[in-house]
Amino acid sequence: MSMTPMTKHHTLLKNTFAILWPLSFLILPWQTRWIIQDATLNGSVWEQARMSVYVGQILIWLTVVCGVFVFWKEWRRLLRAIWKQGSDATVRRGALVLFLMLTLASVNLQPSLIWWWQVASIVAFVSTLWIAMIPRAALLQWLFVAVLPHALLGIYQYAEQDIAASTVLGVAAQHPWERGPSVVEHGLYRVLRSYGGFPHPNILGGWLAVVL
């Protein structure tokens, strides 16, 4: 039986979604990004207000868009359930309006909008995976695979006691003999902590704790 054009497109989108969501898991921890515009505060680079797009975010939104088309009926039911009439719906709408007003009233609008964009990315991605009913075992498996390179990289960084910059991987240079890098001081020695591919050792530790 031949497939109709609509069925072919749905099958193509479904197969694309099946590739995109694990790929998003693999790329999400890496800090590789395209910096659109720098921001400064008192003459120094202001990281929280820097306009940029992470590679992981691009894959996340591709996954979300693809998932919306594939699981449109499920998305529509979810949105209707969220915005259904009733006292609870009024509270939710009021809270959303209040948060948006506070964001727009912020002294520094740009970092507030960037924060909202990051939150929206994660919420949309998690919602898409939940709607797609991805098995928990598959999620944990890909989470483990995604963090494993960072664990190995962290071991290498500790042994090497120096981190070279990598634009492709989004890794910043960290030298223990300079001020700024996270180190453990032991007498006259400064022991560099492991970063993996993350901007701080504590973030690497958090990811490893989640995986464990």
Side-chain angles (χ1 to χ4, degrees):
M1 181 182 294
S2 61
M3 291 190 299
T4 63
M6 185 67 71
T7 305
K8 288 182 179 179
H9 292 158
H10 186 272
T11 302
L12 178 61
L13 286 171
K14 193 172 183 179
N15 293 336
T16 303
F17 177 81
I19 296 174
L20 281 176
W21 80 259
L23 188 60
S24 299
F25 261 69
L26 292 176
I27 303 300
L28 180 61
W30 295 101
Q31 303 299 299
T32 306
R33 60 178 171 168
W34 173 41
I35 298 177
I36 303 173
Q37 180 183 0
D38 266 329
T40 58
L41 182 65
N42 297 328
S44 301
V45 175
W46 189 9
E47 178 62 29
Q48 287 72 21
R50 174 181 277 172
M51 293 291 293
S52 62
V53 178
Y54 288 84
V55 175
Q57 282 184 320
I58 296 175
L59 285 173
I60 281 176
W61 281 108
L62 286 175
T63 304
V64 170
V65 171
C66 190
V68 168
F69 281 105
V70 175
F71 307 103
W72 170 242
K73 292 182 179 179
E74 290 79 2
W75 265 107
R76 186 169 56 183
R77 282 198 293 267
L78 175 63
L79 293 176
R80 284 180 178 176
I82 293 175
W83 295 102
K84 66 181 179 180
Q85 297 297 326
S87 58
D88 292 343
T90 303
V91 172
R92 287 194 294 269
R93 293 168 187 171
L96 179 59
V97 171
L98 177 61
F99 276 119
L100 290 177
M101 290 178 61
L102 291 175
T103 300
L104 294 176
S106 173
V107 176
N108 297 295
L109 182 60
Q110 186 166 312
S112 298
L113 292 176
I114 292 174
W115 184 85
W116 270 111
W117 170 254
Q118 293 173 344
V119 171
S121 300
I122 295 300
V123 170
F125 185 56
V126 172
S127 300
T128 303
L129 297 178
W130 179 72
I131 288 175
M133 299 180 67
I134 305 297
R136 182 171 178 268
L139 294 174
L140 295 176
Q141 176 185 349
W142 283 105
L143 183 63
F144 173 81
V145 174
V147 178
L148 184 59
H150 295 271
L152 297 176
L153 183 59
I155 294 173
Y156 172 78
Q157 292 169 349
Y158 179 77
E160 191 70 13
Q161 279 300 293
D162 190 27
I163 300 176
S166 174
T167 303
V168 176
L169 298 179
V171 176
Q174 305 289 349
H175 307 303
W177 56 85
E178 296 178 348
R179 292 183 178 180
S182 182
V183 299
V184 176
E185 292 196 30
H186 179 67
L188 300 176
Y189 299 98
R190 289 168 57 87
V191 181
L192 182 67
R193 296 175 63 194
S194 298
Y195 280 70
F198 298 99
H200 194 275
N202 289 352
I203 302 179
L204 171 63
W207 275 83
L208 293 176
V210 170
V211 172
L212 288 174

